[in-house]
Amino acid sequence: MVLCISGIPIDDIPQDSRTLYQHYPHLKDGARQFCSIPAKCIGPVGLLYVNQRELAVTVPHDKNVSILGTDDCTTCHIAVLRHTASGATALTHLDGCGHEESIQTILHRISELSMGYPAGRVQLHLAGGFRDTRGVSEELTLSLLNSFQKSPYEVDLVTCCLGDLNTIIRAGMNWPVVYGVGVNTETGELFPATFPDKGPELGLRSARFYTGGHQVLDIYDCQQGLLRIGPFNYEPLRGVDLWLQQSDEFLLQHLSTSPEVEPPHFAMQVRSTLKHIQEHPFPAITIFPDGRPHYFRKDELSGQWVQIRY
């Protein structure tokens, strides 16, 4: 009873996204408007990039981060949540794993950061996924909506740019319209975006979802202004040497849920991640030997995250 649309609780989640749009046509209009906005290319200054199976939460007066963002979504979904009074804002990039736990983490953090603002509400914006041939996006959409429905926190669904509404036909094939989203943490502005700079240790961060790491990790401490990576471990990937011998097309076909529509750099990033796994099959030993996270702080001029001892 806690997922609301236009302030009214939804009794039952619709059986599919098309029914959702039929019942709430203003969500369809909002999705079409969102898809019509040209994607912005965002540089590193003020940016906190959130990778797949990660989440981050911050506040409007954060001196280090003014934009939360993620991209390279095909069947994955992006969830942005914002408290209307405090401005506490969260973003997560989700695949088929860890929905309920990550949602609870985000809503708990927003609640903590919004103490003293009893009048505000939490607004939810969903984007990503498309009408893929395997139905992966649709399954993810319904799982996410049901996870929000089970939450003890009340959330208003404001933007729902998913599935059919995030699909365009090119050369007879379905493609996503929006691959990435940014949110201005000061104003709450939401916009389609790409992010050439994805932050530090991307190979390490990506290794988790090729080696069975299902948890969605909270990567940011907004009070301290610190990006936090790890500590975590993963199992060695069997056959990683063989994977690295394969062609880019082979990697694309076997390691993507939607190989036809991946961005051009997909195979390059996968190869970089596999190389990292090859070199560090036991990260708890070689990367996190003391069991402590890697901490990074923003350099104000360059926008780069600089590793620090903390």
Side-chain angles (χ1 to χ4, degrees):
M1 133 32 236
V2 287
L3 184 63
C4 303
I5 297 180
S6 299
I8 301 172
I10 303 175
D11 292 328
D12 296 297
I13 298 298
Q15 61 184 358
D16 54 49
S17 58
R18 289 186 179 182
T19 303
L20 177 72
Y21 287 125
Q22 287 171 1
H23 288 173
Y24 303 99
H26 73 280
L27 291 178
K28 181 186 293 188
D29 295 338
R32 286 173 172 160
Q33 182 177 2
F34 190 70
C35 284
S36 71
I37 302 171
K40 298 181 182 180
C41 183
I42 303 298
V45 175
L47 169 67
L48 173 55
Y49 183 86
V50 178
N51 199 31
Q52 189 172 337
R53 295 189 195 168
E54 293 180 348
L55 66 90
V57 189
T58 191
V59 289
H61 53 270
D62 188 332
K63 296 180 181 179
N64 301 283
V65 171
S66 56
I67 291 176
L68 297 175
T70 192
D71 61 1
D72 293 349
C73 285
T74 55
T75 57
C76 288
H77 287 21
I78 303 161
V80 175
L81 296 99
R82 182 176 174 86
H83 194 275
T84 57
S86 71
T89 303
L91 183 145
T92 186
H93 179 149
L94 297 171
D95 51 25
C97 298
H99 297 172
E100 291 188 25
E101 183 182 358
S102 59
I103 288 166
Q104 296 314 308
T105 298
I106 286 173
L107 290 171
H108 180 67
R109 291 283 292 120
I110 287 178
S111 178
E112 287 181 329
L113 294 169
S114 302
M115 291 183 67
Y117 295 89
R121 297 176 64 81
V122 177
Q123 294 184 331
L124 168 64
H125 308 271
L126 295 174
F130 72 113
R131 196 190 312 131
D132 64 284
T133 56
R134 303 178 190 178
V136 176
S137 298
E138 180 73 4
E139 186 177 337
L140 178 50
T141 294
L142 298 177
S143 174
L144 267 180
L145 292 175
N146 278 288
S147 294
F148 278 106
Q149 181 77 334
K150 294 175 184 176
S151 166
Y153 297 89
E154 194 167 279
V155 174
D156 283 315
L157 179 60
V158 176
T159 305
C160 192
C161 184
L162 304 169
D164 286 359
L165 273 296
N166 191 40
T167 301
I168 189 171
I169 298 175
R170 295 178 184 165
M173 188 166 59
N174 292 343
W175 289 72
V177 180
V178 174
Y179 278 81
V181 168
V183 57
N184 184 312
T185 59
E186 296 179 40
T187 66
E189 178 199 3
L190 199 75
F191 50 88
T194 61
F195 305 93
D197 188 315
K198 303 183 191 304
E201 299 190 313
L202 188 64
L204 169 63
R205 295 157 69 184
S206 300
R208 291 190 310 113
F209 50 85
Y210 289 112
T211 54
H214 296 294
Q215 188 178 6
V216 179
L217 298 182
D218 185 352
I219 63 168
Y220 188 58
D221 181 340
C222 64
Q223 273 101 1
Q224 301 292 326
L226 295 177
L227 172 62
R228 176 182 58 241
I229 297 175
F232 53 79
N233 200 18
Y234 49 73
E235 296 295 322
L237 182 62
R238 294 179 59 187
V240 66
D241 297 342
L242 188 59
W243 278 108
L244 282 166
Q245 294 171 18
Q246 305 308 310
S247 67
D248 287 357
E249 181 62 25
F250 185 92
L251 296 180
L252 184 65
Q253 291 298 324
H254 290 83
L255 294 178
S256 170
T257 56
S258 50
E260 302 87 357
V261 300
E262 290 287 357
H265 52 261
F266 175 85
M268 179 186 68
Q269 288 189 354
V270 168
R271 202 172 290 280
S272 175
T273 301
L274 293 174
K275 185 69 175 173
H276 175 89
I277 296 169
Q278 182 188 52
E279 293 174 353
H280 298 280
F282 301 100
I285 297 172
T286 60
I287 298 176
F288 304 108
D290 56 0
R292 291 173 54 80
H294 292 180
Y295 288 105
F296 299 81
R297 191 180 295 281
K298 267 285 185 189
D299 178 81
E300 292 184 10
L301 292 178
S302 68
Q304 300 298 317
W305 291 99
V306 180
Q307 190 166 3
I308 63 167
R309 288 196 168 274
Y310 184 76

